[in-house]
């Protein structure tokens, strides 16, 4: 037999499309050709495979070797195909049995010694190969990650020789085993809300935002506890499911940082620095890697000091905030990553931080204030459901250790109850309600409706802002266990729109 077929997987977004590695040995001038890989990757892969085969005492065929990685138009990263290419050559030259190879899929980089090196993005590979019904062999260092997909059965190997021994039926490889739940720590430590003194309104806003998954912007003077409050959001959110965790892990798996099994089931909390580039924030590069917004999928994206971010980077958030997905276009290739995150952000009211303060004089001119606020465009602001003023706490509150503070666990219980109510009623959280959904599930009582009409006219609110206010008031009613949305609920939602009012300009 001089032709062999081996299955492997490429990486595209968080999917892993099937790649068929066809190897053909023919007579003619000696050559080693690889078709279907980018030029640079071909050269490197060829050198590694040749050395690995020679160093493991296999015979490197004295023939014309042609390898075709199909489909040709699928973008492929080189190193993960080393193992399938090496096996393809061994099978085509009769050094390992070819018949059983199609029951398997392989991925792995080869060291020159024949040792297997880990590949990036192994989780999507495991998921796809499991769905195909074939067995998968991965490098040993990927085993722990691969084992997260249950009940997929994945084999791991440290060396090319181990893989060959397994295929010849001489010595079976072992399955990747999932760590016990006691070592796979699900008890992730979070800062507690009880550390924050006072700030009842801001804490309440945080609870409402957590319950309905509404985006939230805290506005206030320096040192009032905005950063402290925002970083306590993950601690009052319900756990993510196995299925969600697998998606989160798949995104991390294909990212440049990779996935660490210790982070299994941890709610993503991403707090990129304001100097982050657009590509770091929304994803990019070649091949495209997910950015912070995708790493925050099913979790929280925290943008501290929002106006300090590059304007272009902020504008890139508009699409994913609406659709929960991001599309990265590079030349002819488009890659999609999921990006369904809850946004929480902070800002000062002006560059010096003291606009609106009674205690301290604001030194900014009104142009400076306008320019500062203008860094966050209207359309972006329009997509933030709640903007809440955090005021300075009187020192007697700050230093009073007798105040009984609610813990994150107590707030979390209410958040979970309210979410259950939302799921039972409409099968989704309030943030995701569409206009027809709202007609059905978030109808305002007459008094609430006339209040909203009044306010919308007075502050010239957009239709989008108006709908967002209704959704937030739906959540407020849910937290109270009320079926109807009355004026009181709507009035509270309107309270979380401090930037719509002029009150914060001095
Ligand atoms: N309500 C509070 N309870 C307890 N400590 C507080 C509170 N508010 C502020 N602090 C203290 O002040 C510090 C600064 O708070 P934080 O960093 O959250 O302020 P900030 O509003 O983000 O300020 P900036 O606008 O300068 O970023 C906290 O580390 C904490 O020690
Ligand atoms: Mg801060
Ligand atoms: Zn100022």
């Amino acid at each position: 037999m001089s032709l062999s077929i081996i299955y492997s997987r490429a990486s595209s977004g968080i999917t892993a499309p099937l790649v068929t590695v066809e190897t053909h040995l023919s007579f003619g001038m000696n050559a080693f050709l690889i078709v279907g890989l980018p030029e640079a990757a071909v050269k490197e892969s060829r050198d590694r495979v040749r050395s690995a085969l020679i160093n493991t005492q296999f015979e490197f065929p004295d023939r014309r070797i042609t390898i075709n990685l199909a489909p040709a138009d699928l973008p492929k990263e080189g190193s993960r195909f080393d193992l399938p290419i090496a096996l393809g050559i061994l099978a085509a030259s009769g050094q390992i049995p070819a018949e059983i190879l199609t029951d398997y899929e392989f991925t792995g980089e080869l060291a020159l010694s024949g040792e297997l090196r880990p590949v990036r993005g192994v989780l999507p590979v495991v998921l796809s190969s499991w769905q195909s019904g074939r067995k998968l062999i991965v490098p040993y260092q990927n085993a722990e990650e691969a084992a997260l997909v249950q009940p997929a059965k994945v084999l791991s190997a440290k060396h090319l020789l181990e893989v060959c021994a397994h295929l010849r039926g001489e010595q079976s490889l072992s399955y990747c085993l999932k760590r016990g739940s006691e070592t796979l720590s699900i008890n992730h430590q979070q800062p507690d809300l009880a550390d924050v003194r006072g700030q009842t309104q801001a804490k309440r806003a945080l609870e409402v935002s957590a319950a309905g998954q509404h985006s939230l912007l805290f506005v206030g003077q320096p040192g009032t506890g905005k950063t402290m409050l925002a970083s306590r959001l993950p601690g009052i959110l319900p756990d993510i499911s196995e299925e969600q965790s697998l998606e989160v892990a798949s995104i991390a798996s294909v990212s440049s940082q990779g996935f660490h099994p210790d982070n299994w089931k941890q709610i993503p909390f991403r707090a990129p620095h304001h100097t982050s580039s657009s590509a770091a924030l929304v994803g990019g590069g070649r091949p495209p890697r997910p950015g912070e917004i995708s790493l925050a999928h099913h979790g929280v994206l925290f943008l501290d000091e929002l106006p300090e971010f590059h304007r272009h980077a902020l504008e890139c958030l508009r699409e994913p905030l609406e659709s929960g997905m991001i599309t990265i276009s590079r030349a002819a290739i488009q890659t999609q990553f999921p990006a369904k995150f809850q946004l929480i952000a902070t800002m000062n009211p002006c560059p010096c931080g003291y606009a609106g303060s009674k205690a301290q004089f604001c030194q900014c001119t009104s142009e400076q204030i306008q320019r500062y606020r203008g860094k966050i465009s209207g359309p972006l602001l329009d997509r933030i459901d709640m903007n809440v003023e955090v005021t300075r706490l009187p020192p007697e509150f700050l230093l009073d250790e007798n105040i009984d503070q609610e813990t994150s666990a107590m707030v979390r219980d209410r958040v979970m109850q309210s979410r259950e109510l939302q799921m039972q009623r409409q099968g989704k959280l309030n943030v995701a309600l569409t206009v027809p959904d709202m007609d059905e599930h978030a109808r305002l009582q007459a008094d609430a409706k006339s209040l909203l009409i009044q306010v919308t006219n007075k502050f010239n609110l957009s239709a989008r802002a108006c709908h967002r206010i209704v959704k937030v008031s739906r959540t407020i009613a849910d937290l109270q266990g009320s079926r109807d949305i009355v004026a009181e609920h709507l009035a509270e939602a309107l309270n979380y729109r401090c930037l719509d009012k002029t009150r914060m300009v001095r």
Side-chain angles (χ1 to χ4, degrees):
M1 168 121 160
S2 59
L3 181 73
S4 73
I5 304 275
I6 305 254
Y7 294 118
S8 186
R9 298 258 162 199
S11 169
S12 165
I14 57 163
T15 64
L18 186 73
V19 170
T20 308
V21 180
E22 303 161 346
T23 306
H24 182 222
L25 304 185
S26 55
F27 293 104
M29 219 190 335
N30 282 5
F32 184 5
L33 308 167
I34 304 182
V35 193
L37 265 187
E39 199 52 44
V42 167
K43 187 175 171 343
E44 289 175 12
S45 187
R46 214 165 37 192
D47 292 348
R48 282 193 302 265
V49 170
R50 190 198 311 264
S51 299
L53 288 181
I54 293 169
N55 288 330
T56 42
Q57 315 299 317
F58 282 111
E59 180 202 332
F60 192 80
D62 234 359
R63 305 267 284 276
R64 184 180 176 83
I65 307 171
T66 309
I67 310 238
N68 181 32
L69 280 79
D73 55 356
L74 193 72
K76 306 178 199 77
E77 288 173 66
S79 64
R80 59 167 63 209
F81 300 109
D82 289 358
L83 175 64
I85 289 174
L87 293 173
I89 295 173
L90 292 176
S93 57
Q95 300 180 75
I96 54 169
E99 314 75 54
I100 57 160
L101 286 175
T102 44
D103 296 343
Y104 288 88
E105 292 183 11
F106 304 88
T107 190
E109 179 178 331
L110 283 173
L112 302 186
S113 62
E115 238 169 275
L116 284 178
R117 291 205 171 129
V119 297
R120 199 199 297 273
V122 86
L123 266 186
V125 174
V126 178
L127 280 167
S128 304
S129 76
W130 176 46
Q131 280 154 6
S132 78
R134 282 184 282 265
K135 287 175 256 183
L136 173 70
I137 297 183
V138 302
Y140 179 74
Q141 279 163 279
N142 285 125
E144 205 180 355
E145 190 180 328
L148 292 172
V149 185
Q150 293 286 344
K153 290 223 155 48
V154 183
L155 298 156
S156 78
K158 289 183 177 153
H159 201 281
L160 174 61
L161 286 174
E162 288 181 16
V163 180
C164 295
H166 176 88
L167 294 172
R168 286 180 179 136
E170 294 164 4
Q171 181 150 32
S172 297
L173 291 172
S174 49
Y175 285 108
C176 308
L177 293 179
K178 193 170 181 170
R179 271 203 266 159
S181 51
E182 62 290 349
T183 55
L184 202 59
S185 84
I186 300 191
N187 187 15
H188 305 290
Q189 280 298 320
Q190 306 272 15
D192 203 285
L193 211 53
D195 306 338
V196 184
R197 299 269 160 84
Q199 299 298 12
T200 327
Q201 166 167 333
K203 282 185 189 169
R204 166 74 180 170
L206 200 66
E207 178 174 338
V208 171
S209 102
Q213 213 175 54
H214 305 291
S215 46
L216 169 63
L217 169 64
F218 281 130
V219 189
Q221 296 165 30
T224 47
K226 300 182 295 297
T227 304
M228 222 182 154
L229 280 158
S231 39
R232 280 156 179 78
L233 176 58
I236 60 170
L237 293 176
D239 289 335
I240 52 173
S241 66
E242 292 265 330
E243 199 183 327
Q244 288 174 324
S245 196
L246 210 50
E247 266 182 62
V248 170
S250 294
I251 296 169
S253 174
V254 299
S255 77
S256 45
Q257 65 186 38
F259 177 71
H260 198 287
D262 275 350
N263 295 334
W264 179 246
K265 285 203 111 179
Q266 179 155 28
I267 298 172
F269 181 74
R270 305 294 302 185
H273 192 255
H274 57 73
T275 52
S276 300
S277 65
S278 314
L281 210 58
V282 299
R286 201 178 288 210
R289 300 253 178 259
E292 292 291 336
I293 61 166
S294 296
L295 293 166
H297 184 58
H298 291 315
V300 176
L301 180 71
F302 175 29
L303 301 182
D304 206 5
E305 317 280 353
L306 191 64
E308 304 296 334
F309 279 80
H310 300 300
R311 173 134 189 171
H312 179 250
L314 291 184
E315 289 305 297
C316 293
L317 294 177
R318 281 162 53 176
E319 181 207 325
L321 271 175
E322 211 89 331
S323 66
M325 294 290 289
I326 180 80
T327 306
I328 300 168
S329 303
R330 289 280 173 282
I333 301 158
Q334 290 208 327
T335 311
Q336 280 203 324
F337 290 107
K340 212 179 275 169
F341 56 88
Q342 186 177 352
L343 176 66
I344 187 156
T346 73
M347 69 181 276
N348 295 129
C350 68
C352 87
Y354 294 102
S357 163
K358 292 187 193 84
Q360 212 144 342
F361 183 68
C362 165
Q363 298 170 351
C364 315
T365 62
S366 45
E367 291 83 59
Q368 278 174 322
I369 296 181
Q370 258 180 1
R371 203 173 326 125
Y372 182 74
R373 302 230 181 130
K375 287 187 181 178
I376 310 165
S377 70
L380 176 62
L381 210 53
D382 223 23
R383 285 167 171 78
I384 301 182
D385 304 312
M386 306 165 66
N387 39 73
V388 175
E389 188 178 357
V390 184
T391 50
R392 176 149 294 187
L393 203 63
E396 51 275 23
F397 262 104
L398 201 58
L399 301 174
D400 183 359
E401 57 284 344
N402 296 322
I403 307 179
D404 200 10
Q405 302 281 359
E406 262 196 324
T407 61
S408 291
M410 292 153 93
V411 180
R412 190 168 172 263
D413 281 346
R414 291 197 296 267
V415 167
M416 281 163 64
Q417 267 177 26
S418 143
R419 284 196 174 193
E420 236 161 70
L421 205 67
Q422 297 169 45
M423 294 308 284
Q424 274 171 13
R425 181 181 56 226
Q426 67 222 11
K428 51 174 111 167
L429 295 179
N430 289 341
V431 72
L433 290 177
T434 59
V435 175
D437 289 339
M438 278 195 279
D439 290 343
E440 197 178 339
H441 303 294
R443 253 198 236 163
L444 300 180
Q445 295 294 298
D447 54 348
K449 197 182 252 175
S450 69
L451 177 61
L452 184 59
I453 291 171
Q454 249 179 45
V455 174
T456 306
N457 285 333
K458 185 165 175 202
F459 295 111
N460 193 22
L461 299 181
S462 71
R464 190 190 275 129
C466 204
H467 283 150
R468 282 175 189 250
I469 291 167
V470 173
K471 291 187 212 180
V472 173
S473 56
R474 174 70 271 172
T475 303
I476 293 167
D478 288 337
L479 276 166
Q480 210 186 49
S482 161
R483 200 175 55 96
D484 297 328
I485 306 175
V486 298
E488 176 198 335
H489 303 133
L490 192 88
E492 185 181 340
L494 288 169
N495 240 340
Y496 304 139
R497 302 288 301 187
C498 71
L499 291 179
D500 294 334
K501 306 171 189 173
T502 46
R503 157 162 79 91
M504 296 215 53
V505 180
R506 67 185 168 131

